Amino acid sequence: MEMGEDKLWRVLEFYSGIGGMRYSLMKAGVNAEVVEAFDINDTANDVYEQNFGHRPHQKCGFYPPLANLTHDKTSDTHEKMISMLREISFNTQEFILSPLQFGVPYSRPRYFCLAKRKPLSFRKAQVNSYLGAPGPVLWSDENVVTSQGVELNGYWDKLIESCRPIEDFLDLKNCVSDAEESKEGKRPFNNPLKQYYVPSALIERWGSAMDIVFPESRRCCCFTKSYFRYVKGTGSLLATVPGMVKDRISSLQDLSLRYFTPREVANLHSFPEDFKFPPHVSLRQRYALLGNSLSVGVVAQLLCYLFADETL
């Protein structure tokens, strides 16, 4: 079936969270009706209702077969899942994909499994296990990179070079304002983003463990649900001075480090501009919900591939 056809797909959305899958369906252009959404997180359901006018069903007794992390092919859970899908006549394809492979400067590799019930099959039936290639090649015959190819030296470096700069996902007005004030040697405490600046005490204690990026950088680390609560291993911090001056700065304090805002994290997750949190959702809750969400840009590409014409 071609994506442009008028068939309406009826969808059950499990672990609906803040709506990442529903946004992915919309971004992919799938003609879908979400029959029901399910999530046990009351705050996530508030966010979902805010954006879609529908509150997910909260009483859900289902549990995910795999953690929302990279894929472990040796796990018993994975083997049971694949075995069960095969027993009930599903063709499957498995991938580990990151937004970096789709031009987004965000390192968030995640495991994905697509399944189609026989006699339906995938357009690229030869693609198995991991795929390490930009999204469009999922359904083209060029530049498919296997799991072995992903491990070759230079693959990820080339991908990162092709990514858009982080500044494309920021509030540029505030970013420029920070840089200008930093040039004058002033800490921008009057900036509307002042609540996001990293306290000096944390920089002194954890500076050596921080992943620091600049507006012109083309990669940042994955944001976890503990971002803003902790600075070590929870996501990148933004230096609000131009990268060109970093060699002339003698102290991390001079970088005017700040956390990415929830809106900026949502941008890196490819959430649309009209996505919003209800006012009562706290800052920490927003980061936690985003940290548990998915990449709309990556999943939309997978949905395009999944719903592309099916070969009988």
Side-chain angles (χ1 to χ4, degrees), residues 245-255:
V245 304
K246 63 182 178 181
D247 293 334
R248 303 198 299 268
I249 291 177
S250 58
S251 169
L252 291 181
Q253 303 284 358
D254 296 331
L255 294 177

Side-chain angles (χ1 to χ4, degrees), residues 115 143 164 247 262 283:
N143 301 322
R164 296 163 58 192
D247 293 334
L283 189 59

Side-chain angles (χ1 to χ4, degrees), residues 255-310:
L255 294 177
S256 294
L257 298 177
R258 71 165 175 86
Y259 297 93
F260 284 76
T261 69
R263 178 64 257 179
E264 291 165 347
V265 176
N267 290 343
L268 288 164
H269 279 79
S270 301
F271 275 69
E273 291 184 3
D274 59 0
F275 167 77
K276 290 183 173 54
F277 287 98
H280 70 272
V281 179
S282 71
L283 189 59
R284 287 192 175 184
Q285 287 175 321
R286 296 180 187 201
Y287 284 119
L289 291 169
L290 287 165
N292 283 328
S293 190
L294 52 77
S295 170
V296 170
V298 173
V299 175
Q301 292 283 359
L302 285 169
L303 290 172
C304 285
Y305 175 59
L306 178 67
F307 286 96
D309 61 1
E310 294 136 345

Side-chain angles (χ1 to χ4, degrees), residues 97-118:
L97 297 174
S98 171
L100 290 173
Q101 295 162 281
F102 299 84
V104 179
Y106 183 37
S107 179
R108 187 184 174 87
R110 289 294 183 267
Y111 167 80
F112 299 93
C113 179
L114 303 181
K116 287 186 177 184
R117 189 186 292 274
K118 297 177 182 179

Side-chain angles (χ1 to χ4, degrees), residues 74-86:
T74 64
S75 71
D76 292 338
T77 304
H78 168 260
E79 293 300 327
K80 289 178 181 178
M81 181 187 76
I82 296 299
S83 177
M84 181 59 69
L85 286 170
R86 288 173 180 167

Side-chain angles (χ1 to χ4, degrees), residues 3 9-13 19-35 48 294 296 299-301 303-304 306-307:
M3 295 291 292
W9 297 91
R10 302 178 77 242
V11 175
L12 290 176
E13 187 181 3
M21 179 60 72
R22 190 156 181 172
Y23 279 125
S24 299
L25 287 164
M26 295 165 61
K27 187 176 180 66
V30 178
N31 186 21
E33 174 193 3
V34 177
V35 178
Y48 191 102
L294 52 77
V296 170
V299 175
Q301 292 283 359
L303 290 172
C304 285
L306 178 67
F307 286 96

